[in-house]
């Protein structure tokens, strides 16, 4: 973590320098008639620089701290087991239905608990397609839980596509673990 | 009589073994093929393998040589066989500028093991380039560069040779000699010469334009000394980049080259440029 | 004359179909233009040579990618390489011709404090004239941009069409530990991070008309679509409908965005304004519809759908709503990208667990495979001139950004090592 912060800090410093120099610059195109007519002065402001990210100074603490607010990550519930899918599928296997029946029973017994269902894919396939596929898995999971008597308004969904693999690795064992729907209590 | 008969039989056998199997001697062809590019002559030899040799100036090769080639005459294939087994006397083995080329038929070499190949030509012109660069302070530089370039050209030539030697069909289909040739001189005509020399000055990248169906025709004019005087587009291609590349080729060509053996009168040629054989 | 008529006569005999004695040259002798890029010289003595090195690196890098040239190394003994030669009368073209160069780039620079003046010239060695010349004024750190700019100029001068070298490539990298949006030059230099979402940022697209980027981010707990003004740094969430707000693509005029939304229950393609306002729903199908890409004339959209079982590329007419399937082969085709010239569509196909890149005509004919060998190549996007493609490949473990020519040759890695880099997008003219 500490190391990461230093890296961050350097990056920000470098950016700041870039910004300052970038803003200061006004490439004044001086039309100088060079000896041969076709010589033209750059029509474009060559030096214009890109405004980098937010100029606010960021403290080390802020940087190193993982901002989880946006990730929709509640605590993963040990009581709610994930379910798994076949490649490019979002239909629920008998085993998944069994797991979901257990999960539904748990949720019915804790009527105050709200759950975020995350749909995930393995790394194969295109990212955008997998985002849509992950959503279908989450949606199928939610619909099944609802059919088992869990109030739909307690269930929300999100797709992470292939962005949050449970297990790294490019093999069928890892793929199988990553094609899943997970439950987070919010 | 017996001797003659034996010789005839032997000749027939030899013809069968070697003569009718043109592939057998294919190494020689590539050499010839390449050399097409070299020296144009006033009156190129009769052309394609299928062309009938002119009745006139044929058989005794040495005779037909208008050139003062003293060393050659000894180049009778073999003294004995002349009689008839060879219906068509090889067009001419003699005065090849730089190569053993002129052989139109494969047979001659079949029996002619001892063929005294003509490589020691006192070639009319050793180098097609007319290097007349003004010697300046950087003369050394220039010659250094020139050497570099010559080395490179040699290497390329060798490469080409090797490549050709490896190909089968190519050599056999190559036109031998000039279509309009009269069979009096070894070598090629101006058309073939231009066809082979101009591309050396033509650089064109397929990335300049996506179209591959471009075609332009340029007329080029030479004075009586073989110097390129002018060029004129008969038909433009429609692509500036393509046309510009042709102008660069013509200008580059005119800087380095004059028509060898100029026809002693003004001449012009139409050159059509296209990309039909370009491999992208 | 006699010769000619004789020739014609014999031609008529041997080759009756040939009516005119004409020389036909059916291919150029060389398929590249021999170009010498001479190291730029200081306009006054005693200037730092770093600028010259960078300019040389950029010019040769860009022009090598162009594929047009073979490079003639200026030999050390060549005296003209040591001469500034900013006008054609000062250049000794004979020297370059002897080297076989057909074009030569020369130039000079001067550094005063932090100010840089760069003079660059392109000469035609054969016709001995100046083809194009530029003077650039800026800061020392702009040297590379100036050189990219001149490379564009060289392309314009020789091909009639501007090069794409002074543009930017946006991409996603996880070098901070989060996937964030970055910007870099086309040769991978000067990477700058644009976002600080500390979440997941995905799938950027440049506005074709302004310096804006749209992208998807999980920052707000949902896959929302954002727009960021690159120069001001201003950022706005423009679509945060429930569910997916992904794969946004600007219409070629920059006034509308096609994207995938799922707020109505299934992932479908929609058109929204740049302010996020709903304009139109495009698809209505049980399948997954993602990855839109606009045709040049904005009348059609290529996209990916599994409506026939597995992911394939389809094309929908926006006004009529008619749909046709583009890819006929392969079990998994994705990420279509319509070329800016409109003549081809690039896409990726998964086979044997790995993606490779292909192009195909919009009518489904003439499919060509561009990439081979190990590594999964994804997310092809065109350069604004249609000459090049940028894409990601995981060759060697981590994902990295590569560029290559549109015919699949000349591929090279451009993104900095050390982190996963993916989802490239090529800006318009900068």
């Amino acid at each position: 973590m500490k190391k990461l912060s230093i890296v961050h800090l350097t990056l920000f410093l470098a950016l700041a320098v870039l910004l300052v120099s970038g803003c200061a610059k006004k490439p004044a195109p001086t039309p100088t008639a060079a000896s041969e007519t076709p010589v033209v002065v750059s029509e474009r402001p060559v030096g214009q620089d890109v405004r980098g990210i937010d100029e606010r100074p960021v403290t080390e603490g802020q940087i190193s701290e993982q901002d989880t607010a946006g990730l929709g990550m509640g605590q993963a519930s040990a009581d709610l087991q994930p379910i798994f899918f076949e490649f490019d599928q979002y239909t629920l296997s008998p085993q998944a239905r069994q797991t979901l029946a257990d999960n539904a029973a748990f949720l019915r017994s804790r009527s105050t608990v709200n759950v975020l269902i995350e749909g995930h894919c393995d790394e194969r396939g295109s990212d955008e397609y997998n985002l849509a596929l992950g959503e279908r898995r989450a949606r199928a999971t939610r619909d099944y839980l609802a059919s088992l008597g869990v109030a739909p308004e307690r269930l929300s969904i999100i797709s992470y596509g292939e962005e949050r693999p449970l297990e790294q690795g490019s093999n069928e064992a890892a793929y199988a673990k990553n094609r899943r729907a997970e439950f987070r209590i919010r | 009589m017996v001797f003659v008969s034996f010789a005839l039989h032997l000749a027939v056998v030899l013809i069968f073994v070697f003569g009718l199997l043109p592939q057998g001697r294919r190494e020689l062809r590539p050499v010839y093929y390449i050399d097409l590019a070299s020296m144009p002559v006033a009156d190129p030899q009769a052309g394609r393998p299928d062309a009938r040799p002119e009745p006139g100036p044929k058989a005794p090769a040495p005779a037909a040589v208008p050139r003062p080639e003293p060393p050659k005459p000894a180049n009778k294939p073999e003294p004995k066989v002349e009689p008839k087994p060879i219906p068509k006397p090889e067009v001419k083995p003699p005065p090849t500028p730089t190569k053993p080329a002129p052989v139109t038929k494969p047979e001659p070499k079949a029996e002619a093991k001892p063929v005294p190949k003509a490589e020691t030509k006192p070639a009319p012109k050793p180098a097609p380039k007319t290097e007349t660069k003004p010697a300046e302070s950087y003369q050394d530089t220039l010659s250094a560069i020139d050497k570099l370039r010559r080395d490179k050209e040699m290497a390329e030539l060798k490469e080409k040779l090797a490549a050709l030697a490896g190909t089968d069909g190519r050599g056999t289909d190559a036109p031998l000699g000039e279509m309009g040739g009269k069979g009096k001189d070894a070598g090629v005509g101006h058309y073939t010469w231009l066809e082979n020399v101009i591309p050396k000055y033509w650089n064109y990248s397929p990335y300049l334009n996506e179209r591959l169906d471009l075609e332009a025709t340029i007329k080029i004019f030479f004075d009586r000394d073989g110097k390129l005087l002018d060029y004129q587009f008969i038909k433009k291609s429609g692509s500036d980049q393509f046309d510009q590349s042709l102008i660069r080729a013509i200008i580059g060509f005119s800087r380095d080259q004059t028509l060898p053996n100029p026809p002693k009168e003004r001449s012009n040629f139409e050159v059509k440029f296209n990309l039909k054989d370009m491999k992208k | 004359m006699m010769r000619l008529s004789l020739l014609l006569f014999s031609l008529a005999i041997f080759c009756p179909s040939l009516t005119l004695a004409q020389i036909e040259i059916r291919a150029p002798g060389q398929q590249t233009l021999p170009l010498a890029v001479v190291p730029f010289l200081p306009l006054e003595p005693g200037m730092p040579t770093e600028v010259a090195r960078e300019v040389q690196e950029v010019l040769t890098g860009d022009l090598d990618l162009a594929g047009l040239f073979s490079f003639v190394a200026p030999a050390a003994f060549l005296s003209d390489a040591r001469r500034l030669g900013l006008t054609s009368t000062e250049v000794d073209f004979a020297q370059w011709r002897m080297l076989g160069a057909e074009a030569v780039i020369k130039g000079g620079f001067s550094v005063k404090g932090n100010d840089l003046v760069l003079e660059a010239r392109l000469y035609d060695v054969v016709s001995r004239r100046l083809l194009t010349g530029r003077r650039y004024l800026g800061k020392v750190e702009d040297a590379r941009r100036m050189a990219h700019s001149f490379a564009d100029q060289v392309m314009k001068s020789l091909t009639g069409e501007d090069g794409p070298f002074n543009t930017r490539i946006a991409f996603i990298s996880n070098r901070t530990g989060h996937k964030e949006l970055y910007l870099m030059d086309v040769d991978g230099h000067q990477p700058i991070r644009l976002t600080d979402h500390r979440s997941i940022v995905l799938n950027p697209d440049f506005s074709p008309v302004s310096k804006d980027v749209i992208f998807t981010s999980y920052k707000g707990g949902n896959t929302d679509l954002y727009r960021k003004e690159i120069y001001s740094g201003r950022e706005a969430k423009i679509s945060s409908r429930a569910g997916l707000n992904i794969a946004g693509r600007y219409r070629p005029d920059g006034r509308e965005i096609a994207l995938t939304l799922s707020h109505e229950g299934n992932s479908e393609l929609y058109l929204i304004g740049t302010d996020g306002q709903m304009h139109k729903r495009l698809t209505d199908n049980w399948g997954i519809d993602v990855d839109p890409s606009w045709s040049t004339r904005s009348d059609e959209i290529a996209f990916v759908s599994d409506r026939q079982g597995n992911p394939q590329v389809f094309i929908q007419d926006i006004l009529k709503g008619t749909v046709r399937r583009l890819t006929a082969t392969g079990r998994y085709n994705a990420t279509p990208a319509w070329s800016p010239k409109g003549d081809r569509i690039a896409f990726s196909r998964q086979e044997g667990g790995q993606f490779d890149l292909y192009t195909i005509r919009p009518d489904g004919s003439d499919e060509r495979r561009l990439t081979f060998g190990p590594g999964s190549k994804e997310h092809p996007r065109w350069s604004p001139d249609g000459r090049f493609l940028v894409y990601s490949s995981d060759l060697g473990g981590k994902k990295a950004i590569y560029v290559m020519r549109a015919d699949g040759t000349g591929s090279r890695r451009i993104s900095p090592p050390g982190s996963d880099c993916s989802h490239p997008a090529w800006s318009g003219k900068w």
Side-chain angles (χ1 to χ4, degrees):
Chain A
M1 257 340 177
K2 181 95 193 187
K3 203 166 149 208
L4 196 68
S5 320
I6 293 169
V7 172
H8 270 89
L9 197 63
T10 345
L11 207 140
F12 272 96
L13 279 176
L15 264 174
V17 171
L18 239 161
L19 279 172
V20 170
S21 59
C23 299
K25 179 176 326 159
K26 196 94 244 163
T30 353
T32 348
S35 29
E36 260 167 298
T37 35
V39 177
V40 187
V41 169
S42 60
E43 325 87 314
R44 290 172 271 197
V46 191
Q48 209 167 18
D49 227 319
V50 161
R51 212 89 187 276
I53 63 165
D54 40 13
E55 303 93 312
R56 300 170 265 131
V58 184
T59 67
E60 249 182 81
Q62 270 178 302
I63 301 172
S64 54
E65 200 176 340
Q66 182 143 359
D67 182 358
T68 55
L71 297 185
M73 284 160 124
Q75 65 194 100
S77 171
D79 301 305
L80 295 172
Q81 295 302 314
I83 59 168
F84 299 94
F85 296 85
E86 294 300 307
F87 177 66
D88 199 16
Q89 297 295 323
Y90 57 95
T91 48
L92 302 170
S93 65
Q95 194 186 346
R97 286 165 193 264
Q98 183 55 52
T99 307
L100 287 181
D102 296 345
N103 289 351
F106 173 82
L107 287 172
R108 281 196 304 267
S109 68
R110 311 276 174 95
S111 56
T112 56
V113 169
N114 290 342
V115 167
L116 174 66
I117 304 168
E118 297 177 357
H120 297 270
C121 306
D122 67 33
E123 66 176 30
R124 294 172 298 171
S126 103
D127 303 8
E128 294 72 32
Y129 181 83
N130 277 346
L131 283 173
L133 180 62
E135 192 183 58
R136 290 195 150 183
R137 287 174 178 165
R139 206 178 285 274
T141 306
R142 182 187 64 185
D143 292 350
Y144 192 69
L145 285 177
S147 75
L148 296 177
V150 182
E153 56 273 15
R154 294 170 60 198
L155 306 169
S156 51
I157 59 168
I158 191 167
S159 168
Y160 281 105
E162 56 184 80
E163 301 298 329
R164 292 241 186 276
L166 196 62
E167 187 160 310
Q168 297 292 339
S170 301
N171 52 68
E172 189 42 53
Y175 296 154
K177 284 193 177 131
N178 292 334
R179 294 189 297 258
R180 69 199 193 275
E182 273 185 23
F183 304 89
R184 296 191 183 276
I185 292 173
R186 15 192 353 169
Chain B
M1 212 45 203
V2 172
F3 179 69
V4 171
S5 161
F6 176 75
L8 280 172
H9 278 88
L10 179 64
V12 168
V13 168
L14 284 174
I15 287 169
F16 256 89
V17 173
F18 297 100
L20 298 186
L21 299 171
Q23 309 299 61
R25 286 239 115 8
R26 101 173 73 97
E27 334 80 54
L28 277 176
R29 283 244 172 65
V31 178
Y32 182 61
Y33 183 76
I34 290 242
D35 275 343
L36 279 177
S38 61
M39 284 305 88
V41 293
D43 208 355
Q45 76 185 40
R48 305 175 169 278
D50 45 39
R52 240 145 260 306
E54 297 286 326
K58 46 160 155 254
V65 199
R67 295 271 166 60
E69 310 285 52
K72 251 4 35 68
N75 129 346
K76 288 228 136 344
E78 55 289 32
K80 58 211 83 160
V81 200
E82 327 99 293
K84 53 210 69 161
I86 322 167
K88 13 203 119 158
E90 349 57 322
V91 183
K92 75 243 21 185
T96 347
T98 25
K99 65 312 207 127
V103 198
T104 5
K105 299 282 141 72
E107 313 104 284
K109 61 195 67 112
E111 56 255 16
K113 274 117 204 177
V115 197
K117 246 28 190 179
E119 39 250 65
T120 45
K121 260 325 103 284
K125 15 223 115 157
K129 308 256 141 69
T130 44
E131 256 4 310
T132 47
K133 293 291 171 234
E136 278 176 39
S137 59
Y138 56 83
Q139 181 59 51
D140 292 349
T141 310
L142 288 191
S143 54
I145 301 171
D146 200 26
K147 185 173 176 307
L148 273 182
R149 195 163 63 153
R150 266 202 302 269
D151 289 352
K152 197 173 146 231
E153 274 176 8
M154 275 313 278
E156 276 169 10
L157 200 67
K158 276 182 193 153
E159 216 171 85
K160 243 188 208 162
L161 261 174
L164 277 171
T167 59
D168 256 17
R170 184 110 180 253
T172 20
D173 286 344
L176 302 176
E178 183 86 341
M179 283 204 300
K182 303 306 308 173
K184 294 210 298 267
D185 281 350
V188 298
H190 289 127
Y191 278 77
T192 308
W193 184 81
L194 288 168
E195 207 171 275
N196 282 279
V197 174
I198 293 177
K200 292 180 181 165
Y201 294 88
W202 185 24
N203 297 311
Y204 180 83
S205 163
Y207 295 112
L208 279 170
N209 190 309
E210 283 160 19
R211 288 176 52 196
L212 289 179
D213 59 346
L214 299 169
E215 184 168 280
T217 306
I218 298 181
K219 199 169 197 170
I220 50 179
F221 301 88
F222 292 91
D223 67 9
R224 43 178 57 228
D225 299 324
K227 196 163 165 26
L228 194 145
L229 284 179
D230 200 6
Y231 65 88
Q232 177 195 335
F233 271 93
I234 306 289
K235 180 181 148 274
K236 292 208 171 201
S237 69
S239 155
D240 270 357
Q241 288 70 46
F242 187 81
D243 293 346
Q244 283 295 327
S245 78
L246 302 184
I247 294 176
R248 280 201 296 270
I250 298 294
I251 294 178
F253 168 86
S254 74
R255 289 244 170 80
D256 285 1
Q257 305 280 358
T258 53
L259 214 51
N261 256 315
K264 295 294 172 253
E265 58 191 339
R266 286 166 162 249
S267 55
N268 62 65
F269 300 86
E270 269 189 36
V271 191
K272 188 202 281 180
F273 293 88
N274 56 42
L275 303 172
K276 287 181 183 161
D277 286 351
M278 186 167 75
K279 304 175 284 286
K280 185 162 177 179
Chain C
M1 219 51 232
M2 230 195 35
R3 232 184 68 73
L4 192 68
S5 44
L6 253 174
L7 223 145
L8 281 172
F9 178 62
S10 35
L11 274 177
I13 289 178
F14 294 124
C15 208
S17 63
L18 217 66
T19 52
L20 182 65
Q22 196 182 46
I23 296 162
E24 183 179 13
I25 294 175
R26 298 164 64 95
Q30 299 79 32
Q31 292 195 16
T32 52
L33 310 184
L35 169 74
V37 183
V38 186
F40 280 34
L41 297 171
L43 293 167
E44 291 145 47
M47 302 226 165
T49 56
E50 177 61 12
V51 171
R53 195 192 59 73
E54 284 205 307
V55 168
Q56 184 85 4
E57 182 185 303
V58 170
L59 284 177
T60 49
D62 289 354
L63 297 175
D64 181 42
L65 179 63
L68 276 168
F69 306 100
S70 51
F71 291 98
V72 177
F77 50 75
L78 203 71
S79 62
D80 192 67
R82 298 190 296 271
R83 216 172 333 183
L84 199 49
L86 294 181
T87 62
S88 59
T89 48
E90 293 165 25
V91 180
D92 188 346
F93 290 107
Q95 292 193 20
W96 297 107
R97 246 185 90 58
M98 294 294 273
L99 269 185
E102 201 158 282
V104 60
I105 291 176
K106 304 189 73 165
F109 61 92
S110 98
V111 178
K112 290 214 173 66
N114 197 31
D115 290 330
L116 171 65
V117 177
L118 192 74
E119 297 270 5
R121 304 286 185 271
L122 170 69
Y123 294 107
D124 181 336
V125 172
V126 179
S127 59
R128 307 188 170 185
R129 63 195 175 98
L130 179 71
L131 290 176
T132 185
R134 282 287 185 280
R135 171 174 302 138
Y136 300 97
L137 310 168
K139 302 291 173 194
V140 171
E141 63 266 23
D142 297 329
R144 297 189 74 91
R145 300 259 160 91
M146 295 176 179
H148 284 303
S149 221
F150 190 65
D152 286 345
Q153 202 53 46
V154 169
M155 296 297 283
K156 180 161 197 174
S157 168
L158 292 175
T159 70
E161 199 182 330
D162 221 339
F165 300 118
N166 191 22
T167 54
R168 304 289 185 279
I169 288 170
F171 65 103
I172 303 297
S173 167
N174 64 356
R175 83 168 38 195
T176 62
H178 298 290
K179 285 193 168 183
E180 303 278 8
L181 176 65
Y182 290 73
L183 199 63
M184 65 183 172
D185 291 352
V186 295
D187 56 4
H189 279 76
Q190 314 192 15
I192 296 176
R193 181 157 58 91
L194 293 181
T195 58
D196 188 25
H197 285 197
R198 297 175 214 177
S199 171
I200 304 171
V201 174
L202 293 171
N203 215 328
D205 190 52
F206 280 98
S207 162
V209 293
S210 58
K211 308 280 183 287
D212 295 352
V213 206
I214 50 174
F215 54 89
T216 293
S217 170
Y218 283 77
K219 185 183 183 183
N222 187 42
T223 51
D224 298 326
L225 190 74
Y226 291 73
R227 183 180 70 232
K228 182 156 193 119
E229 296 175 10
I230 292 169
Y231 280 96
S232 70
R234 264 199 299 266
E235 191 177 290
K237 202 188 273 187
I238 55 175
S239 179
S240 54
R241 295 168 172 89
L244 302 173
N245 299 261
I246 59 169
R249 293 287 188 279
Y250 276 104
R251 196 166 75 182
D253 65 1
R255 299 169 71 167
E256 199 167 36
I257 294 168
L259 82 170
T260 293
L261 301 173
S262 64
H263 65 296
E264 294 183 274
N266 185 31
S267 51
E268 306 281 357
L269 295 180
Y270 296 80
L271 299 180
I272 61 172
T274 54
D275 56 357
Q277 213 181 358
M278 176 58 64
H279 287 181
K280 185 178 182 181
R281 175 168 168 170
L282 287 180
T283 56
D284 186 3
N285 191 279
W286 68 270
I288 288 174
D289 296 322
V290 289
D291 271 337
S293 178
W294 293 85
S295 73
T296 316
R297 289 193 312 237
S298 308
D299 55 348
E300 291 181 308
I301 280 186
F303 64 101
V304 174
S305 177
D306 69 342
R307 57 185 64 189
Q308 292 180 4
N310 42 26
Q312 296 290 350
V313 179
F314 293 79
I315 292 178
Q316 175 157 348
D317 184 297
I318 291 178
L319 284 180
K320 293 185 225 146
T322 50
V323 178
R324 62 196 161 98
R325 180 168 161 176
L326 176 68
T327 48
T329 48
R331 291 188 43 76
Y332 198 121
N333 295 307
T335 60
W338 212 308
S339 89
K341 290 197 173 134
D343 57 338
R344 297 194 79 79
I345 293 170
F347 63 96
S348 54
R349 168 174 302 160
Q350 190 174 44
E351 255 165 354
Q354 153 183 334
F355 278 104
D356 273 293
L357 303 183
Y358 294 73
T359 61
I360 193 169
R361 291 221 181 97
D363 64 2
S365 67
D366 193 24
E367 179 182 288
R368 292 183 208 166
R369 180 172 175 174
L370 301 185
T371 61
F372 299 87
S376 200
K377 303 97 185 170
E378 289 184 77
H379 295 111
R381 303 291 292 269
W382 297 86
S383 63
D385 59 350
R387 285 187 177 103
F388 309 105
L389 286 163
V390 63
Y391 61 99
S392 71
S393 168
D394 65 1
L395 177 68
K398 288 199 181 307
K399 287 186 180 175
I401 310 293
Y402 288 70
V403 291
M404 66 181 176
R405 293 171 208 129
D407 61 5
T409 61
S411 74
R412 67 201 58 194
R413 174 200 173 114
I414 56 169
S415 62
S419 61
D420 278 313
C421 300
S422 61
H423 290 96
W426 208 314
S427 80
K429 277 179 75 113
W430 203 256

